[in-house]
């Protein structure tokens, strides 16, 4: 039996538990069906039903927020060492079930197994990384004066809401939830309605690994009801959100009455700038990887390639040749490089840009059409001869679609790179050290890689500027969001106190 056939069989076995019954919310350690009815989650492979999922309403959000508030009273007092121990147990359990998580994720999102097989392990690493930081989460500074000892300490902010998108849900959820738990917060998670299955697995794993009931709750459902109710709930002190920029704006408005602290990881239209002195073979590999891996459904994707005019024609021709050879296929086939996109609605959006590209005068050098494999399969697409004013250069397409734009010199490269509303990542390819530093400093992005694709290092800050986000994750930065800093001042002696009414 081939590796592919074996994976299909294992996936069927893992998915069997979801068939024929409703995937419930997990509130206060218990399965809750709720009162909102159900919705369907379909597999992008063929748009058939994977599971019926409980549709959360404000009633279940209220129940979950109250459970998180009760659990917070004790979880915040659990020592950092004990939190570390529990979180490592969760990581161990994720590793033990990595195959199940990976296969379920592929079937629920359409992401190819070649990337998802590592996603569960990366989720476990996120837990281990923050587990080891839990004992120091409350550490502060000592700021003495001649008369007072000031010291700061950090306290968990309270129960928090985590709202995640559908593209790589397991990895992204752990990235948000692990630091929150390490900080001593409790969580209500509202996963994306198009790919909710692995969120249920994570909550189940955490509970079985010894996380107390109520510390991590999951309420499934749609953004406009469950999501909205979570952002408006008075017991929820902060919202960690990953998703579209327009949803971020809505959440900010919804949370304003209860003065929610927000952390936003939003959209991107990230430039990769290729100068003519770069190692062009490596640059091409990186350009293609950063837009066609993960189905292009990736916030950090290099969706605009800005290429030096002197090498543009040759670089574009080589890119087109490679793009035509990228293998589209079933997500569980180990040879597949691009799987089916998440949902027919998303496919329609991605394909609509082919018309926009043509009417704006760009060349469709590859793709721009549905693949013959099925409704959600799209051919990897390359638009060339584009300029930055075009729709395909300004809007986040969030699919396997690259827009290639020529530039004349460094100044023009920078002005094109910065001429978008977004500012998440930028990638720069050059052998000129001075230029690398100049461009890296001037480009408007929260994260810049030089002569590299996106290689993450967990202690470094992750986040965007402009319409790509507010706040940073990673390392200690996550604790700035999930914790409040408190200053305590203690008089060292009898300093002078002004006397009134004497
Ligand atoms: P989305 O904004 O449509 O949905 C994200 C989540 O928000 C879902 O769980 C949804 O139910 C919920 N939601 C929707 N409306 C809401 C509301 N009014 N109140 C509360 N919650 C609401 O995004 P998506 O289509 O699921 O994901 C794709 C987007 O995510 C892209 O723009 C992508 O760039 C972005 N993304 C960003 C990062 C990052 O780190 N910057 C990472 C991954 C994805």
């Amino acid at each position: 039996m081939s590796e592919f056939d074996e994976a299909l069989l294992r996936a069927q076995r893992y998915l069997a538990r979801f068939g024929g019954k409703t995937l419930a919310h997990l509130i206060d350690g218990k399965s809750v069906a709720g009162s909102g009815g159900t919705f369907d989650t379909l597999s992008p492979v063929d748009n058939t039903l994977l599971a019926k999922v409980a549709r959360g309403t404000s009633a279940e959000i209220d129940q979950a927020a109250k459970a998180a508030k009760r659990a917070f009273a004790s979880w915040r007092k659990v020592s950092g060492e004990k939190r570390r121990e529990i979180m490592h147990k969760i990581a161990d359990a994720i590793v033990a079930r990595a195959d199940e998580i990976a296969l379920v994720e592929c079937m629920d999102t359409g992401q190819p197994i070649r990337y998802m097989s590592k996603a569960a392990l990366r989720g476990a690493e996120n837990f281990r990384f923050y587990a080891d930081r839990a004992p120091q989460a409350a550490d502060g500074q000592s700021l003495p004066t001649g008369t007072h000892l000031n010291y700061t300490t950090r306290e968990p902010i309270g129960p928090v809401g985590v709202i995640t998108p559908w593209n790589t849900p397991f990895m992204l959820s752990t990235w948000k939830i692990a630091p929150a738990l390490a900080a001593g917060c409790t969580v209500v998670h509202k996963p994306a309605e198009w790919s909710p299955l692995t969120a249920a697995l994570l909550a189940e794993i955490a509970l079985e690994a010894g996380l107390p009931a109520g510390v991590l709750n999951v309420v499934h459902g749609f953004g406009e009801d469950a999501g909205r109710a979570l952002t408006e709930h008075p017991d929820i002190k902060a919202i960690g959100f990953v998703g579209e920029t327009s949803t971020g704006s809505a959440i900010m408005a919804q949370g304003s009455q209860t003065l929610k602290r927000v952390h936003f990881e939003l959209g991107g239209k990230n430039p990769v700038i290729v100068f003519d002195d770069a190692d062009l073979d490596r640059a091409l590999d990186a350009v293609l990887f950063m837009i066609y891996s993960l189905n292009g459904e990736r916030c950090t994707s290099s969706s605009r390639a800005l290429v030096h005019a002197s090498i543009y024609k040759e670089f574009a021709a080589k890119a087109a040749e490679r793009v035509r050879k990228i293998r589209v296929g079933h997500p569980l086939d180990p040879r597949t490089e691009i799987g089916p996109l998440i949902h027919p609605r998303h496919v329609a959006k991605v394909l609509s840009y082919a018309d926009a590209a043509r009417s704006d005068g760009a060349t469709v050098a590859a793709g721009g059409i549905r693949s013959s494999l099925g409704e959600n399969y799209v051919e990897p697409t390359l638009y060339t001869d584009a300029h930055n004013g075009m729709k395909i250069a300004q809007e986040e397409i969030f699919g396997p679609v690259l827009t290639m734009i020529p530039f004349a010199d460094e100044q023009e490269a920078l002005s094109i790179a910065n001429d978008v509303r977004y500012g998440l990542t930028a990638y720069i390819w050059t052998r000129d050290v001075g230029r690398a530093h100049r461009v890296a400093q001037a480009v408007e992005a929260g994260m810049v890689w030089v002569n590299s694709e996106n290689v993450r290092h967990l202690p470094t800050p992750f986040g965007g500027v402009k319409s790509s986000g507010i706040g940073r994750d990673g390392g200690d930065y996550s604790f700035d969001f999930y914790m409040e800093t408190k200053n305590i001042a203690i008089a060292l002696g009898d300093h002078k106190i002004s006397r009134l009414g004497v």
Side-chain angles (χ1 to χ4, degrees), residues 20-61:
K21 51 179 182 280
T22 298
L23 178 64
H25 314 294
L26 188 87
I27 300 175
D28 211 6
K30 291 182 231 33
S31 233
V32 174
S35 54
T38 63
F39 66 95
D40 294 346
T41 182
L42 307 178
S43 176
V45 171
D46 50 11
N47 294 316
T48 54
L49 184 74
L50 282 178
K52 290 216 165 280
V53 185
R55 181 174 174 167
T57 65
S58 56
E60 291 76 41
I61 288 289

Side-chain angles (χ1 to χ4, degrees), residues 164-166 190 193 242-244 247 254 265-266 299 396 398:
T164 46
W166 46 258
K190 207 300 281 172
E193 52 271 39
V242 185
E244 277 196 26
T247 314
Q254 290 159 199
E265 289 179 17
L266 310 173
C299 56
E396 186 186 43
F398 216 57

Side-chain angles (χ1 to χ4, degrees), residues 163-168 172 190-194 221-224 227-228 231 241-245 247-248 250-251 254 265-268 298-300 396 398 424 462 468:
I163 302 179
T164 46
W166 46 258
N167 57 329
T168 52
L172 280 174
K190 207 300 281 172
E193 52 271 39
W194 280 353
F222 292 96
E224 57 269 29
R228 172 183 267 274
T231 61
F241 169 73
V242 185
E244 277 196 26
T245 298
T247 314
I251 288 176
Q254 290 159 199
E265 289 179 17
L266 310 173
R298 176 180 199 159
C299 56
T300 54
E396 186 186 43
F398 216 57
L424 189 58
F462 184 101
S468 286

Side-chain angles (χ1 to χ4, degrees), residues 121-132:
L121 300 178
R122 276 189 62 191
E125 272 170 40
N126 289 341
F127 264 89
R128 292 200 198 288
F129 179 81
Y130 279 106
D132 289 338

Side-chain angles (χ1 to χ4, degrees), residues 39-121:
F39 66 95
D40 294 346
T41 182
L42 307 178
S43 176
V45 171
D46 50 11
N47 294 316
T48 54
L49 184 74
L50 282 178
K52 290 216 165 280
V53 185
R55 181 174 174 167
T57 65
S58 56
E60 291 76 41
I61 288 289
D62 185 51
Q63 221 181 320
K66 289 195 169 124
K69 188 179 178 184
R70 279 193 304 276
F72 179 66
S74 44
W75 180 244
R76 67 176 305 174
K77 293 196 195 119
V78 171
S79 71
E81 287 72 17
K82 185 68 188 168
R83 288 204 298 274
R84 174 173 63 192
E85 188 189 314
I86 295 173
M87 289 180 66
H88 272 295
K89 283 197 181 133
I90 297 174
D92 293 342
I94 291 173
V95 172
R97 288 173 69 177
D99 186 56
E100 176 188 0
I101 294 164
L103 297 190
V104 170
E105 188 89 316
C106 289
M107 293 302 287
D108 203 15
T109 62
Q111 294 286 4
I113 186 65
R114 65 166 61 213
Y115 310 117
M116 285 304 104
S117 62
K118 293 177 207 99
L121 300 178

